Amino acid sequence: MLDLLKKHFGYDQFRPLQAEIIASVLERRDTLVLMPTGGGKSLCYQLPALRFDGLTLVVSPLVALMKDQVDTLKANGIAAEFINSSLTYPELSRVQRRVQRSAVKILYVAPERLALPGFLDFLAALTVSLVAVDEAHCISMWGHEFRPDYRNLVTLRRVLPGVPCIALTATATEQVRHDIAEQLELTQPQEFNASFNRANLTYRVRPKRNSVEALTDLLNEYRGESCIVYCFSRKSTQDLATALGERGLSALPYHAGLDNAVRSETQEKFIRDDVPIIVATIAFGMGIDKPDVRLVVHYDLPKSLEGYYQETGRAGRDGLPSECTLFYSYGDKVKQDFFIDQIEDAAERRNAQDKLARVIEFCDLQTCRRKHLLAYFGEDWQQDNCEGCDVCLTPREEFDATIIAQKILSAVVRTGERFGIAHLSQVLRGANTKRVRELRHDRLSVYGIVEDLSDGEIKEVANLLQAEGLLRKNSREYATLGLTPAGRVFLKNREKLTLARTKRDEPAPRAPPGSDPAQVWRRHDAPASAVDDASDPALFEKLRVLRRRLAEERNVPPYVIFGDVTLRQMAAYLPQSRESLSHISGVGAAKLEQWGEAFLGVIRSHADEQGLAERPVPGARRGRESPGSGASRQGSTYAATKQLLEQGRSITEVAAERGLSVRTVVGHVEKLVGGGEDVDLGPLLPVSARLEAIRNALERSGATALAPVKALLGKDYTYEEIRLVRAFMRQTQ
Ligand code: ADP
Ligand code: ZN
């Protein structure tokens, strides 16, 4: 399987669960996959398709995406076609004839086709090996994207009895999952639920002040890269796109009110890297599959955390570090409240209020945003510091909160647990306002007892007290505060309390804005296994230019040629022969054949100009090399390592004996295992508690890279240990 993966897709490793899912499909079992956007779902049916004798039929509702998906497969040398309403009649019959001649391995079809009896007859007469149902939640009425057309799939299943089915989705509750299995008549499906953590995404919430300027600075940090800015209203998308344009940023608006033609043109420009920034209402995104979106901004509040997760999920599908920033102001909340109040149906209104309250809660967090987001989707994230959200990244300091906590809690009690923090703060700070006087809160003993803190600081402590479980919101929609039982005990016993707040005089970390490309580059450093060291930004730019030219010639999106990970690796390792180019992630045999020389040309001339030499690609599988080439020399170094290990030496001993680093020896072990050699990893593994921790982190991390796994585990764990455990997991799969 790894050989097919390298040959056809150019990748060296599977992403979490891919190997297991593929194994299940190859056993011809019905399979149900829940995996986040960017998790790598497509490969789960595309790779088995290459192994099966017959056709793999892929049902997908995203008609606009089919062509790009098929082009991507074709670029990898895989015979794929699609059938949807965009084909002319002659095109349709050409595709059908090719399919009948078994000249096609993977066929994408739109679900509405399945309602045509003629089409079902056509399918029934073929040898179909696998049916893949993408966006499978569309079949469920419980889901939010129900497509009546998906009900045709039942007929399809019956027309193709005994053909295994894989259903894939990124959004499904327990109920929807159950519904999918039932509707598709899956027999004892194997279920795979991947972690919904997107390890390569960094989540930030910023106060919405001077917001156009702040947004401009942020976008400038990502100059030249693809960014999406989500806004609340159609009008604001237009105004904001114009404002950004005036500030020298190329941005286009996108919303459901635009003419169809304009909309698809805008989308196309974004996909083709002609326009880097789209300012959109949430209508944008469903129909795009762009893997290299580096920044998603919520300029206004999202309506729900589900929406927020889905929209931010469009960033960094290729696994490279990407950012999600939300601008938050209280004024925006009030604005949203106003719209929600207009909803006539009472149940619907309550629901909207509830969803919004969860968004506000997320914005106010003083604890890890990732943990909170995952908990919202029912996932228990164990790490204390994710190193990928503003809360975790902001330096914190501990302070003695005993007195201020007592004051805030007392104020809550004295005012009858009926007020929000804004009013409480006024009372505590002794504000002489009409409302305070009317409520006679100026006569309370807590009036004016806080002198040295601002409203913002009091609010921060109140949020911390909520996180600590001493205070709680009385209801979801009104932000009035009450004491928890623990809060009452605390107040009664006068216990000591230490809290960690944002370090004073130190604003949240953020690279200074600037358009210096080198600087931007450093900020976006790729994860360790994608690009180990500094890569060359100038070369990356040259490679991007070439990629765009080739894409234009072929009339496909640039990422169909090569993804960013591939270009960054090229710019890091400067491969100058076909052989070394083939070790770069994303360079499969077909792409090497078609574009290898073109990219090598650019790399060679850049290397000559700058006097740079090629560097070995770490961790690349060299399984495809013929014997007698460099591989056999390397083969013997692996064999030497293997021999010593078989004699019972530890990794450190082998390293010492052979004059190699531990890292290199671990690399040998990975190669040996990857090449199917029988190496007993048992004695090399860490003790079981550590092994479990690493295994857990590997399974949870949604990325291909080791860096996020390391980040999860912390300083106590070494890369070598992680790599050994990963090899072990592969071996036992
Ligand atoms: P999903 O459908 O789950 O959102 P995709 O199948 O579109 O995800 O994959 C997202 C990106 O990850 C694509 O660019 C794909 O080529 C890449 N990818 C998938 N599997 C791997 C892998 N094993 N190694 C490296 N990249 C991968
Ligand atoms: Zn965090």
Side-chain angles (χ1 to χ4, degrees), residues 11-27:
Y11 302 138
D12 296 306
Q13 329 162 350
F14 285 112
R15 292 220 176 134
L17 291 184
Q18 278 180 335
E20 291 87 333
I21 296 166
I22 290 169
S24 163
V25 174
L26 287 176
E27 282 169 24

Side-chain angles (χ1 to χ4, degrees), residues 75 77 191 195 199 215 228 246 260 317 507 558 698 728:
E191 280 201 43
S195 166
L215 178 64
I228 306 176
E246 285 161 1
N260 264 344
R317 294 174 75 141
L698 282 163
F728 176 65

Side-chain angles (χ1 to χ4, degrees), residues 368-370 385-389 392:
C368 179
R369 297 198 200 277
R370 182 181 307 273
N385 189 318
C386 80
E387 292 179 34
C389 78
C392 292

Side-chain angles (χ1 to χ4, degrees), residues 112 310 338 439 443 551 566 607-608 705:
E112 62 269 15
Q310 204 176 41
F338 174 78
L439 289 161
R443 306 202 183 166
T566 307
D608 282 351

Side-chain angles (χ1 to χ4, degrees), residues 284-355:
F284 185 73
M286 180 64 183
I288 62 160
D289 212 350
K290 196 165 171 26
D292 50 8
V293 175
R294 291 285 154 253
L295 171 70
V296 169
V297 177
H298 282 86
Y299 191 69
D300 294 320
L301 281 174
K303 291 189 180 63
S304 66
L305 278 185
E306 287 88 347
Y308 173 77
Y309 179 83
Q310 204 176 41
E311 286 138 31
T312 51
R314 291 172 188 143
R317 294 174 75 141
D318 56 7
L320 287 176
S322 306
E323 177 175 337
C324 314
T325 288
L326 187 162
F327 285 90
Y328 169 54
S329 74
Y330 191 72
D332 274 1
K333 175 195 180 297
V334 174
K335 195 164 85 182
Q336 291 257 27
D337 281 340
F338 174 78
F339 281 102
I340 291 174
D341 285 344
Q342 328 248 301
I343 300 177
E344 275 177 20
D345 182 83
E348 221 180 282
R349 188 170 57 238
R350 257 202 85 78
N351 187 35
Q353 282 165 341
D354 195 55
K355 300 259 161 182

